[in-house]
Amino acid sequence: MQCPYCGHHDSKVIDSRSASDGIRRRRQCLSCGSRFTTYERVQPASLFVVKKDGRREEFNRDKLLNGIRKACEKRPLPTGSLDKLASDIEAELYQLGKAEVSSRDIGDLVMAGLKNLDHVAYIRFASVYRKFADITALKQEIDTLVNGVGETARPADQLPLFPQPRAPARRQRRHRR
Ligand SMILES: [Zn+2]
């Protein structure tokens, strides 16, 4: 395990504990003494993704994370939240216990995750992934997010998509055309 600070190849484990998705090891570099953490992840039998055109490719977590990162670019999201979303989706996929999943299934999971995380990122991802037919379809999706369908549409810690009007906005927002 290479030290991220000096590149030395030898380190000793100073702490080891199991996390929900693997084992976490606290290490100390034997050269510069820096401390860093490594994660040992359980990798189940390989999972294949069936793409729209029917081709199959092995599931790639980095690819998933890159897609999420792209959608969340420059959004004020907490450190680690994107990585966590990718891990959650990966875990969910493997828990299905199937040898292959469709790229659509993965896209749906990403959409659901982003919807809870950040509405702007969600719309960005959805506009590429779902290829909204036209601007009206896109507007409908945004309206649904802004007006909320049911109370679960916007978690309390969700960043607002648009600046919120001042009080007594709450009553006005419920007002439907
Ligand atoms: Zn070092």
Side-chain angles (χ1 to χ4, degrees):
M1 192 59 62
Q2 200 172 343
C3 169
Y5 301 95
C6 74
H8 189 71
H9 281 275
D10 234 353
S11 62
K12 65 172 176 185
V13 175
I14 51 179
D15 184 39
S16 175
R17 63 182 68 178
S18 60
S20 55
D21 57 346
I23 296 171
R24 209 184 115 118
R25 289 204 168 87
R26 196 92 181 107
R27 292 172 185 269
Q28 184 164 28
C29 173
L30 291 180
S31 172
C32 73
S34 298
R35 293 178 176 204
F36 54 97
T37 305
T38 57
Y39 290 90
E40 198 173 285
R41 206 190 294 272
V42 177
Q43 190 74 55
S46 54
L47 178 68
F48 280 85
V49 180
V50 184
K51 305 209 288 186
K52 262 186 207 151
D53 59 9
R55 281 184 300 149
R56 285 163 170 75
E57 66 178 30
E58 201 163 339
F59 172 75
N60 183 332
R61 184 181 185 276
D62 290 339
K63 215 166 163 182
L64 169 67
L65 184 57
N66 277 339
I68 294 172
R69 280 212 182 108
K70 214 175 258 176
C72 295
E73 210 163 23
K74 303 214 170 113
R75 295 297 298 158
L77 293 166
T79 314
S81 59
L82 307 189
D83 212 69
K84 186 180 178 304
L85 177 58
S87 295
D88 288 349
I89 290 173
E90 186 186 24
E92 213 166 326
L93 290 173
Y94 279 113
Q95 270 164 24
L96 294 173
K98 294 183 192 167
E100 48 184 51
V101 292
S102 70
S103 56
R104 197 197 158 82
D105 289 340
I106 299 179
D108 288 347
L109 287 174
V110 174
M111 297 248 290
L114 288 179
K115 204 168 188 171
N116 283 322
L117 201 63
D118 185 87
H119 283 167
V120 172
Y122 167 75
I123 286 295
R124 272 185 200 155
F125 186 85
S127 63
V128 173
Y129 170 72
R130 284 240 314 252
K131 299 191 176 70
F132 289 113
D134 50 39
I135 195 75
T136 313
L138 177 61
K139 186 180 179 298
Q140 266 169 11
E141 186 66 36
I142 294 176
D143 284 347
T144 308
L145 284 174
V146 174
N147 296 325
V149 275
E151 292 307 307
T152 53
R154 180 186 294 160
D157 57 353
Q158 176 87 50
L159 295 157
L161 182 60
F162 298 120
Q164 294 299 295
R166 305 250 169 225
R170 194 163 286 273
R171 208 171 297 155
Q172 282 173 359
R173 261 186 51 202
R174 294 263 157 248
H175 194 75
R176 296 276 164 86
R177 280 162 292 174

